[in-house]
Amino acid sequence: MKSITLIRPDDWHLHVRDGDALKDIIPHTAARFGRAIIMPNLKPPITTTEQAQAYQQRIQAAIPNGVNFTPLMTLYLTDNMRANEIITAKESGIIHAVKYYPAGATTNSDAAVTDLKKTWAVLESLQQQGMPLLVHGEVTTPEIDIFDREAVFIDSVLQPLLKDFPELKVVLEHITTAQAVDFIQSTPNNIAATITPQHLLFNRNDIFKGGIRPHYYCLPVLKREQHREALVKAATSGNPKFFLGTDSAPHSQTAKESACGCAGIYSAHAAIELYAGAFEDNNALDKLEGFASLYGPKYYQLPINVDKITLIKEPWQIPQHYPFGSETLTPLKAGEMVQWKLKRV
Ligand code: DOR
Ligand code: ZN
């Protein structure tokens, strides 16, 4: 196959940061995707509709002229969020979900939830409004092995939560394990999952190939090959409970290449191209449009995009760096070839 045309895809999990960096980051996503769910883990986090409105305007100012891209905003759940914030959020029309980070789970999660019980009223309101809760599904207890954090979270936090809130819409974000795939498959349609390009393409050996490779470090961390295979199977199965969310998470090169490097992989520069490669490697290019362009809008009850994108089979080399405000960042597969190229219009 020499080219593939898809209904324009959306990214249902994206970090774009703030300030000067926006103008470097937003064009990558806006060239490929029609919409993106914007993560609220800024410092300080986006916890009110008012903050989300201002953040949305800063993002919109970074969209290149003539490009049609809509940032879909989210709020960051805290122990103190009030239930009527959800009503305000829903009425605003710009907030599409609330993000739950267990406190300490990842980048800028210090202000997050210490005990889900403290958020009961908010969860009730979300369930009532039909607004999705987006879940970073990892326990943070130090006794639990880092590679088991997702599976333990599903058993000890998510299953009990869904017993208490059976109608709550929940997206288990960036799933990484066969246990998560099995769990999602066993649940009703209000529960879904996003899958990143890195978790389809790489396993945990890639973090340590010939030395420690910080640009392959994200959370949840890459897992064993058998888990990668389970994720590929899920993404290419045509099951609408699994859809695209890159979790592209830019950090400066210095923040990544450090004695205590930040978690996060930047993939926005070639996101849909990398997914196309993963689907092609598994003879499933015919399943890409559902995963990338149809199932997300269906879950979020939004219309599918009206325009299309075309990818051409034409290898290109990913740059070593991209600008990132006053610094630079190292993208996923820096300096390497990708097989699919976005046709510029
Ligand atoms: O690797 C990650 N990076 N995982 C997350 O959950 C957060 C993200 C970030 O914001 O950098
Ligand atoms: Zn994320």
Side-chain angles (χ1 to χ4, degrees), residues 8-311:
R8 185 176 290 279
D10 303 297
D11 185 348
W12 299 98
H13 185 128
L14 180 69
H15 300 265
V16 296
R17 314 304 185 207
D18 206 353
D20 277 356
L22 286 173
K23 65 171 190 336
D24 298 323
I25 297 302
I26 294 291
H28 287 159
T29 294
R32 294 164 174 81
F33 297 98
R35 296 163 289 198
I37 284 275
I38 306 295
M39 287 295 128
N41 62 331
L42 302 184
K43 235 180 167 147
I46 302 292
T47 55
T48 66
T49 300
E50 214 178 342
Q51 288 172 328
Q53 272 157 343
Y55 185 32
Q56 188 191 39
Q57 282 168 15
R58 298 195 294 277
I59 294 170
Q60 276 161 341
I63 302 171
N65 284 339
V67 174
N68 199 350
F69 173 71
T70 307
L72 306 173
M73 308 311 290
T74 62
L75 296 183
Y76 180 108
L77 185 60
T78 66
D79 290 353
N80 309 321
M81 185 181 276
R82 295 202 335 247
N84 59 11
E85 189 64 49
I86 302 305
I87 317 280
T88 312
K90 181 82 181 187
E91 281 171 356
S92 76
I94 67 155
I95 313 274
H96 293 266
V98 168
K99 179 67 188 271
Y100 161 44
Y101 289 104
T106 186
T107 309
N108 296 345
S109 64
D110 313 344
V113 177
T114 60
D115 180 359
L116 258 187
K117 288 266 185 292
K118 295 187 175 160
T119 68
W120 235 234
V122 171
L123 299 177
E124 257 162 17
S125 187
L126 284 172
Q127 178 168 257
Q128 205 166 31
Q129 299 293 327
M131 185 180 279
L133 181 72
L134 311 183
V135 173
H136 183 107
E138 290 193 288
V139 292
T140 52
T141 20
E143 311 79 77
I144 305 295
D145 190 280
I146 187 168
F147 293 102
D148 298 334
R149 284 181 184 175
E150 183 176 272
V152 173
F153 180 91
I154 291 170
D155 291 345
S156 66
V157 182
L158 195 49
Q159 306 250 37
L161 175 72
L162 297 175
K163 278 216 178 79
D164 289 321
F165 296 98
E167 313 271 298
L168 183 64
K169 290 186 83 155
V170 173
V171 185
L172 185 54
E173 299 286 339
H174 41 56
I175 58 169
T176 62
T177 56
Q179 288 94 326
V181 169
D182 292 345
F183 170 73
I184 295 295
Q185 281 166 343
S186 74
T187 53
N189 288 341
N190 52 318
I191 318 300
T194 52
I195 305 181
T196 75
Q198 64 265 26
H199 292 105
L200 292 177
L201 289 165
F202 304 107
N203 66 35
R204 66 192 200 176
N205 286 353
D206 291 290
I207 310 171
F208 304 103
K209 214 181 241 169
I212 190 153
R213 293 178 177 262
H215 300 293
Y216 286 86
Y217 173 56
C218 65
L219 287 171
V221 73
L222 295 171
K223 303 293 191 303
R224 285 179 182 277
E225 176 62 8
Q226 76 200 59
H227 295 294
R228 189 193 70 81
E229 286 167 8
L231 294 170
V232 166
K233 227 169 152 186
T236 60
S237 67
N239 182 341
K241 290 165 76 76
F242 300 100
F243 48 84
L244 185 156
T246 61
D247 198 17
S248 176
H251 289 278
S252 70
Q253 190 182 347
T254 47
K256 294 283 297 172
E257 297 176 9
S258 134
C260 185
C262 295
I265 291 180
Y266 188 72
S267 62
H269 60 296
I272 191 65
E273 299 90 322
L274 292 166
Y275 282 110
F279 276 61
E280 185 184 37
D281 290 347
N282 294 282
N283 296 318
L285 268 180
D286 60 320
K287 296 292 198 301
L288 181 61
E289 189 176 56
F291 175 80
S293 317
L294 303 180
Y295 307 152
K298 184 180 155 99
Y299 184 81
Y300 277 85
Q301 295 178 295
L302 291 169
I304 60 170
N305 291 317
V306 287
D307 61 336
K308 300 199 168 186
I309 62 162
T310 296
L311 300 173

